[in-house]
Amino acid sequence: MSTLPPETKTYESVGRMFLLTDLEEVKKSLANRKSLVAARSKELEKNKQYLEKNLEEFEGTIREMVKQRKCQNEAQ
């Protein structure tokens, strides 16, 4: 988009229609969306790491419980 001449007609999607929008405004809108997506991506990555850690802890707990149950069954 940076190579387009300033007088280029650009359109921005608004719902189910397109509005004729200034090229600079479209660039600003895209930059804003890009920063929002980057921030959301970081947030989701942190959430993913947290959930993976919890999953590992729960799996370990379940393994331990199963192991104890086997030991109890063998002792009886």
Side-chain angles (χ1 to χ4, degrees), residues 41-57:
S41 178
K42 273 186 178 181
E43 182 182 318
L44 289 172
E45 185 62 36
K46 286 180 183 179
N47 194 18
K48 176 186 166 193
Q49 290 172 355
Y50 170 77
L51 292 172
E52 285 176 343
K53 183 179 176 184
N54 278 351
L55 176 64
E56 289 175 12
E57 289 176 7

Side-chain angles (χ1 to χ4, degrees), residues 7-60:
E7 65 276 354
T8 302
K9 290 185 179 182
T10 54
Y11 296 86
E12 192 164 15
S13 173
V14 179
R16 292 176 23 179
M17 67 180 190
F18 293 91
L19 292 176
L20 182 61
T21 309
D22 182 49
L23 181 61
E24 288 303 314
E25 202 171 315
V26 171
K27 286 180 184 179
K28 287 177 187 176
S29 175
L30 289 174
N32 186 31
R33 287 182 189 174
K34 182 180 176 182
S35 65
L36 289 174
V37 167
R40 181 72 175 139
S41 178
K42 273 186 178 181
E43 182 182 318
L44 289 172
E45 185 62 36
K46 286 180 183 179
N47 194 18
K48 176 186 166 193
Q49 290 172 355
Y50 170 77
L51 292 172
E52 285 176 343
K53 183 179 176 184
N54 278 351
L55 176 64
E56 289 175 12
E57 289 176 7
F58 289 134
E59 285 175 343

